[in-house]
Structures are given as structure tokens and as C-alpha cells.
Amino acid sequence: MENVPVGKVSVETNSRYGRIKEKFMGCYGEKPDFYARASGRVNLIGEHIDYCGYSVLPMAIEQDLVIAVKSNDSGRLQIVNTNMEYGMFECDINNFSINKEKPVWHNYFLCGLKGLLEHCKVSSPKGLQCVVDGTIPKSAGLSSSSALVCCAALVTMHANGQSLSKKELSDMCAHCEHYIGTEGGGMDQAISFMANKGTAKLIEFNPLKSTDVELPEDVVFVISNCCVELNKAATSHFNIRVVECRLASQIIAKTKGLKWREFKRFADVQKALGLTLDDAVNVVKEILHPEPYTKEEVCGILEVTADELSQTSLSANTLDVKSFKLHDRATHVFSEANRVLQFKRTCDLKPVDASVVLGNLMNDSHTSCRDLYQCSCEDLDRLVDICCQSGALGSRLTGAGWGGCAVSMVPANQVDSFIKSVTERYYGKDERLKERVTENLFATQPGGGAAIYVE
Ligand code: ADP
Ligand code: NG1
């Protein structure tokens, strides 16, 4: 099993690492022992289906999170951020708690720290002095939070002389990001560790597996941020969707005579019933009604009390939700899972019109996210429309949504005119956005995964 690579970095020639080292010496008076990095990612297709057990198709991006580290025997964790927006933090490394109600940035670090210490049963953890430096736009669907969680786990692993494979780290980090309260799937953590420069990946779950996906050479993927931010852990939008999917799969399971309490994910129900994804869409039509379900109706169908439902299906921040949209969420998940497979097949078979087929799949994915899954927002929809009018063959929201980024597939010879047009039509209209175009609108190539560097 493959481990995270350990390489060399020259702080003399790499100005970013040079600046991080300088900050580290300014804070702690000594030079760091090592640096760890974890990248952000852009999901090309397969939105809100990883936590339902379905494959997704992301690639790592160049933007990443780097942590410079020195270990000691102080029993303390000290973390400082190069961005003044994030205040410094210090705690006992053997005794800390993760605040779900107020997900301040250091709590993501603590998720990775706790996950690794528990997984490896480290009884006397090393004290850590850290400087964190991130370039991934936050709450923009590019996975800044997971990069921090994964990087913190990697730091803890290396400082304590532990060795886990990329796969073990991915599974462990997917689980430990739940400490902050969001019940995501494992896409972000898997691509963060398993990415390879130059290729997108099909990520499959249970068991976790990643396969290279060769993208057409005549297109470039361009990311644009609508600049509306939504923090997943601070709101219940994300977990409500997770719960809606869980309830829909449990109702389908029960109606079809399965032991519904044993099911939480669509993929497991589909497998138990021996359905194709197309069959599954028809089963949704047959069993679920398009109107929202009240909690009472769900309890009636599953034959449980409201308290029992909280145990079997809800999460801490969804206990008070009164109405669930099940038909539309389920239809999105099954059809999106199908689009991922079609996208991968098209990349493999390379028909002459491959980029048109892929573009259409991306457009359909956005429509489904917007209308059925309702995880877009007005500005993001406007940006996606502008991208399509500016020459993209396909454009869609990427990541959790409710704001954040669109990813567009653009003919390689039209990238400059695409960027010019989106700049004028979206960013140029707003004084605040005008100054921030470079960081929010950029072409991207598949980047590499997590790594450790020493000088
Ligand atoms: P994303 O979709 O980017 O993962 P989330 O809303 O889930 O967005 O998480 C964003 C949070 O992650 C931020 O509010 C902050 O707490 C943390 N975070 C992201 N980037 C950094 C960074 N460079 N330094 C410290 N914390 C960060
Ligand atoms: P981002 O874009 O990082 O908020 C979230 C989930 C993913 C996945 C996508 C939607 C976490 C850590 N990440 O990603 O697992 O469900 O939304 O496809 O919860």
C-alpha cells in the first residue's frame, strides 16, 4: 500500500516555503522539522453523492494548505496562521475538545489531530508547534476544510513516527471530519491523499479505490468563484440533505421489505434490491411522492416515534427539521451517479464528440443540483449561465454549493476569451469583486496529492 511521499523543499528557491519558515522562526525562534501539504480539489462531476455511497470524479488543484511543524515534549499544541483572520490557538495535546456549535478554524485541526491519535492509539503524543498557511478559497466548494483536517492528521502522524497508507489516511480523515458535525462522504479526503499530478480520479467507496481518468486534451477546466460563502459546519443545509437521503433510502428499503434500520445509504439499498441506476429512478417514482414529507408522515411510514427517528436517522443539527423533500433528492442522487459513470466511460472511449458529451453531462448535473437538490444560489446560477454564454462547453457548481465555485470545461484555444468575458460580465459589474478576479477566476490542471517535505 502506498504511503504519502516524503520529499525535499528548498526554502531558498521556493519563496512560499521561505515565507512560512520565516514566520515560523519569528513565532517559535527555531526552524521547523518538516512541512506537510494537502491540496484543495475541484469535483468535475458527482455532487452530493459520495455520502450516499456513489463514485465521484474530482481532481486536486494547485491551491493547498501547508503546515510547518516542530515537535517537542511539552505536551502542548500551538498553532499560528499566516492569515491574521485566523487567531492563534494553544491547548493541552492530551486534553482538548472540538466545538461543533462554533466551528472556529482550529477545530478542523483538532479533528485531524484527534482522529490520528485515536486511530494509531498514540498514548504520549508529541507536543507540536505549527504555522498554517493556506491558499484554497474558504467555503467555496474547493475543500479548504478537508485540506486542513487531512494536513493536521498528516502532521500528527509524521511527528509521532506513525506510518499509515494513503488509503488508511483517507478513510480515517473522512471519519474524523465528522467530529466537527458535518456528515460528508469521503471524496475530499480521498482525492487530497490519492491525487496524482496530471490526472483526474474516479473515486469509488466501500472499499475505497481510485482510478486515473484521462481528460480530453482539447479542453481546460476553469474555476470561478461566485464569492458567496457558506460554512457547512455553521449551518444545517448540508446535513439536512444527508438526512433527506437517509430517510428516502430507509423508506424505499422498508417499502421493498428490507430491514430498513440496517440501511443508511442509497447505494446499499440499490445493491440489496439488485437494481440498475435507471431502475432506481423508476422505484423513486413508484414509492416517493414529489411533495415534501412531514416528520409525522415519515414516522408513520417507518412505524417509529419521533424520538426513535432521531436515533435511527437524524443528526444533532437536524432534530428540529419538520419537512423533508425525498423524491427530488433521491432522483438527483441516482441520476447524478449515472452521469459520473457516463463521464468516465466517455473519457475512456474518447468518441469524436467527447467534449460535447462531457459538457452536456456537466450542464445536466448543474440543472439537477439547482432544481432537484436545491444546493445552488442565485449568484452561482447567474455565474454558471455567464460561463455557458462565454464559451464553456459545460459548467456546473462544484462542491457542497449554496455559494462558492463553478467549474467550466472550456475549449483549450478559447480560455483567454472565456476569462475575459466572465471577468467583464460577472466580476466587472461589482466594485468589491473587480479587485479579486485573479484569485477567484483561474484555469486549473490536475494537481498532486498530500506530501511531506524536509529541507
Ligand atoms: P470548504 O468548502 O472550503 O471546505 P467549509 O465551510 O466547510 O468550506 O470550511 C471552511 C472553514 O475551514 C473556514 O471557515 C476555516 O475555519 C477553515 N479553513 C479553511 N482554510 C483555512 C486556512 N487557510 N487556515 C485556517 N482555517 C481554514
Ligand atoms: P465541500 O465542497 O468541501 O464542502 C462537501 C463534502 C463532500 C461532498 C460535497 C458535495 C465534507 C468535508 N465534504 O464538500 O464530501 O459531499 O460537499 O459533493 O463534508
Side-chain angles (χ1 to χ4, degrees):
M1 285 215 266
E2 212 183 331
N3 283 1
V4 173
V6 181
K8 289 253 178 215
V9 66
S10 159
V11 293
E12 279 76 40
T13 53
N14 187 320
S15 58
R16 169 140 177 247
Y17 282 73
R19 278 197 304 277
I20 298 172
K21 178 178 177 181
E22 211 172 286
K23 171 89 181 176
F24 192 98
M25 305 227 350
C27 291
Y28 305 115
E30 288 180 279
K31 72 184 187 65
D33 299 335
F34 67 94
Y35 304 82
R37 88 170 280 264
S39 52
R41 61 99 188 96
V42 58
N43 189 21
L44 301 182
I45 196 155
E47 224 57 84
H48 286 276
I49 61 171
D50 58 346
Y51 52 79
C52 300
Y54 290 113
S55 308
V56 291
L57 212 152
M59 64 189 198
I61 55 174
E62 185 194 319
Q63 286 79 350
D64 64 5
L65 192 125
V66 173
I67 308 183
V69 191
K70 187 163 185 61
S71 62
N72 56 40
D73 293 318
S74 66
R76 307 287 299 166
L77 166 70
Q78 292 170 275
I79 38 177
V80 170
N81 205 299
T82 54
N83 181 342
M84 301 307 280
E85 182 186 331
Y86 304 113
M88 65 174 292
F89 175 76
E90 185 170 350
C91 70
D92 182 338
I93 206 147
N94 287 294
N95 184 15
F96 57 86
S97 57
I98 295 171
N99 188 340
K100 288 185 186 182
E101 271 70 52
K102 223 168 156 258
V104 179
W105 78 280
H106 62 255
N107 288 286
Y108 294 92
F109 188 107
L110 297 179
C111 286
L113 174 70
K114 176 177 158 77
L116 194 289
L117 293 179
E118 288 181 359
H119 185 89
C120 294
K121 301 189 175 55
V122 181
S123 51
S124 335
K126 285 285 192 185
L128 297 172
Q129 291 177 314
C130 302
V131 166
V132 174
D133 180 70
T135 56
I136 311 163
K138 74 172 155 72
S139 302
L142 301 180
S143 211
S144 69
S145 62
S146 304
L148 180 49
V149 172
C150 292
C151 208
L154 191 56
V155 162
T156 312
M157 179 189 87
H158 196 68
N160 287 286
Q162 302 290 324
S163 173
L164 296 182
S165 69
K166 289 180 178 183
K167 202 162 163 293
E168 283 172 297
L169 277 165
S170 306
D171 278 332
M172 193 274 291
C173 287
H175 171 74
C176 71
E177 192 152 348
H178 289 194
Y179 297 144
I180 199 96
T182 35
E183 302 204 16
M187 161 167 65
D188 305 348
Q189 301 81 3
I191 191 69
S192 192
F193 287 112
M194 295 163 113
N196 293 121
K197 209 173 167 59
T199 178
K201 294 270 185 182
L202 179 78
I203 306 281
E204 297 167 77
F205 302 98
N206 301 102
L208 186 62
K209 187 177 162 203
S210 77
T211 312
D212 290 358
V213 179
E214 206 183 313
L215 300 168
E217 282 175 1
D218 55 350
V219 296
V220 167
F221 289 88
V222 180
I223 294 174
S224 51
N225 188 352
C226 78
C227 300
V228 174
E229 280 184 14
L230 179 112
N231 180 283
K232 286 193 302 296
T235 60
S236 56
H237 294 56
F238 188 87
N239 279 0
I240 290 175
R241 293 294 177 275
V242 177
V243 159
E244 287 174 322
C245 290
R246 194 175 293 152
L247 292 175
S249 55
Q250 292 176 329
I251 290 179
I252 293 174
K254 181 154 195 299
T255 312
K256 291 287 185 185
L258 299 173
K259 289 182 183 161
W260 67 270
R261 286 169 205 269
E262 292 174 7
F263 292 89
K264 286 203 185 310
R265 304 175 327 155
F266 283 125
D268 301 325
V269 176
Q270 186 207 340
K271 195 169 162 208
L273 295 175
L275 303 173
T276 64
L277 285 166
D278 287 330
D279 294 339
V281 172
N282 289 327
V283 165
V284 170
K285 281 195 200 123
E286 179 197 314
I287 293 180
L288 301 172
H289 58 67
E291 300 74 30
Y293 286 67
T294 62
K295 198 177 202 170
E296 291 69 36
E297 188 179 3
V298 171
C299 288
I301 297 169
L302 295 177
E303 299 179 85
V304 289
T305 63
D307 282 348
E308 279 172 307
L309 191 76
S310 305
Q311 298 297 320
T312 57
S313 318
L314 305 183
S315 51
N317 65 351
T318 56
L319 294 175
D320 297 330
V321 178
K322 304 250 178 319
S323 157
F324 306 95
K325 274 201 170 179
L326 306 186
H327 173 283
D328 288 3
R329 310 304 186 225
T331 307
H332 165 77
V333 171
F334 291 127
S335 59
E336 182 77 354
N338 223 341
R339 280 187 284 272
V340 172
L341 301 183
Q342 290 173 50
F343 196 99
K344 165 77 166 57
R345 208 174 306 131
T346 307
C347 290
D348 290 346
L349 297 176
K350 304 184 180 59
V352 277
D353 61 344
S355 46
V356 174
V357 175
L358 299 180
N360 289 340
L361 288 168
M362 291 176 72
N363 290 335
D364 291 348
S365 168
H366 184 75
T367 307
S368 183
C369 284
R370 183 192 62 206
D371 299 343
L372 297 178
Y373 219 69
Q374 295 179 298
C375 62
S376 189
C377 69
E378 238 174 69
D379 286 349
L380 187 49
D381 287 338
R382 189 162 57 81
L383 176 57
V384 165
D385 285 345
I386 289 174
C387 290
C388 290
Q389 290 154 18
S390 300
L393 293 162
S395 185
R396 55 180 296 279
L397 68 81
T398 185
W402 294 287
C405 291
V407 56
S408 305
M409 195 177 72
V410 181
N413 57 5
Q414 289 176 34
V415 173
D416 291 346
S417 62
F418 173 83
I419 289 188
K420 186 166 176 283
S421 167
V422 177
T423 302
E424 280 166 15
R425 293 179 188 204
Y426 191 80
Y427 299 93
K429 299 256 185 286
D430 184 323
E431 283 308 316
R432 276 174 319 119
L433 298 185
K434 238 182 204 169
E435 294 158 16
R436 298 171 49 205
V437 181
T438 345
E439 69 197 87
N440 288 309
L441 175 65
F442 51 89
T444 186
Q445 298 291 337
I452 289 165
Y453 295 110
V454 288
E455 281 182 50

